[in-house]
Amino acid sequence: VLLCLMIISTNLNATEDDFLAVTKDKTAQVSQKLFDKQEYDCLRSILWHEARNQPSRGIKAVLSVVMNRKQHPDYPGTYCKIEKQPWQFSYVKQGKSRINPKPTEEKKLEEISELAYDAVVGEFKPTLPKDVLHYARKEIENSWTKQKKVYTIIQDHKFYQTKGRI
């Protein structure tokens, strides 16, 4: 009986170890599936070109606007399609999508990269309400900014709430 218990115990331990190994492997596979490198690169590019001169709060606000758009029915459902949408980002229109940091900007790129990663894997929580779908430099005033309500101002950007359906 003791020998049988030892054999059963050994088999249980082997099964548990096998289970843990399979679980870790499956978790790694799921993590890889959730991480989309192309989406990460597009989001990182948006944040770099649109918010690298902002404090952390401003970068997170820009990220929140982009995430809010991704979830909104009137906007594309991917970061890459949002980035390429006509008339949305001047750096795209000017053909400046490459990230080329100066040595003094390396820490900012690291912060942006971490935030982009967190957003792509679903770990970033937007800091602005869902109806904040736009931002612009403070000095810009045109027909579309006049149709929106300023939600907040961070450094040199105004963030706008959208009236109507959200």
Side-chain angles (χ1 to χ4, degrees), residues 58-161:
I59 297 169
K60 290 175 183 176
V62 168
L63 175 53
S64 297
V65 167
V66 175
M67 290 182 76
N68 288 347
R69 286 182 181 188
K70 185 175 179 249
Q71 299 302 315
H72 193 278
D74 292 344
Y75 288 90
T78 71
Y79 297 123
C80 292
K81 287 180 181 177
I82 289 169
E83 181 184 35
K84 303 296 186 245
Q85 221 182 349
W87 311 109
Q88 296 302 307
F89 301 108
S90 58
Y91 76 90
V92 172
K93 188 174 155 186
Q94 297 165 1
K96 297 180 180 180
S97 60
R98 189 162 171 249
I99 295 174
N100 192 15
K102 299 173 187 163
T104 57
E105 296 173 317
E106 289 293 335
K107 281 185 123 176
K108 190 60 76 167
L109 180 57
E110 185 178 317
E111 177 184 6
I112 284 170
S113 298
E114 288 175 13
L115 287 169
Y117 178 85
D118 288 348
V120 169
V121 299
E123 293 185 10
F124 178 82
K125 303 289 185 247
T127 59
L128 301 176
K130 289 180 182 182
D131 63 347
V132 179
L133 297 169
H134 301 276
Y135 62 90
R137 294 183 61 81
K138 283 193 305 191
E139 67 272 6
I140 293 177
E141 287 196 28
N142 56 33
S143 60
W144 75 262
T145 61
K146 291 177 184 175
Q147 296 170 13
K148 309 209 178 311
K149 178 183 172 194
V150 175
Y151 176 76
T152 191
I153 298 172
I154 301 173
Q155 198 163 319
D156 62 351
H157 283 100
K158 288 182 183 177
F159 293 84
Y160 297 92
Q161 285 181 298

